[in-house]
Amino acid sequence: MPEEDLVELKFRLYDGTDIGPFRYSPASTVAMLKERIVVEWPKDKKIAPKAANDVKLINAGKILENSKTVGQCRIPFGELSKSVITMHVVVQPSLAKAKTEKKVDEAPRKNICACSIL
């Protein structure tokens, strides 16, 4: 693939730091980007994704679907072909894991009801 066809992307994390920039083919999927983000995630961060499903990518104010390609995601920036596109990264743990952790946290609690009449 010619070098000029590649799209240059960087990923902005929650604390303002960046991963990248990296060059991708317009045919690369959002799922592939998420996998790369998980691999490249800085080890010193307190919040880190454990899997690609924990990552949400935002571009132009929209959450990107895993099946979309980089070429489809850069449509709003079509005339800026030589610039680096910044996508925002949000870490959102999977719903099943969050429910499991919530049940563990609530297990030791006992519901006690008390009424006071003054």
Side-chain angles (χ1 to χ4, degrees):
M1 170 162 289
E3 187 73 18
E4 67 241 12
D5 288 344
L6 297 178
V7 179
E8 196 166 12
L9 301 174
K10 69 178 177 180
F11 305 101
R12 177 84 25 100
L13 306 182
Y14 62 89
D15 62 354
T17 59
D18 293 332
I19 297 176
F22 302 111
R23 291 178 176 262
Y24 293 96
S25 159
S28 300
T29 63
V30 170
M32 294 168 62
L33 301 180
K34 289 180 178 183
E35 289 172 11
R36 176 83 182 256
I37 289 168
V38 171
V39 170
E40 298 288 336
W41 195 270
K43 304 299 181 211
D44 62 336
K45 303 287 181 204
K46 289 183 180 180
I47 300 172
K50 293 185 176 27
N53 288 339
D54 294 346
V55 175
K56 304 288 183 220
L57 281 180
I58 301 172
N59 183 37
K62 295 183 181 179
I63 297 175
L64 304 179
E65 298 174 21
N66 287 341
S67 60
K68 295 267 187 185
T69 65
V70 171
Q72 292 170 326
C73 296
R74 73 174 185 161
I75 289 173
F77 305 105
E79 58 276 353
L80 303 174
S81 60
K82 300 270 186 204
S83 65
V84 178
I85 298 171
T86 301
M87 293 188 178
H88 294 267
V89 179
V90 176
V91 178
Q92 183 177 17
S94 63
L95 189 58
K97 180 184 171 196
K99 284 185 179 179
T100 304
E101 288 177 1
K102 187 175 181 182
K103 287 179 183 176
V104 170
D105 289 344
E106 290 179 0
R109 297 182 191 167
K110 292 184 179 180
N111 292 333
I112 300 174
C113 181
C115 296
S116 298
I117 300 175
L118 300 174

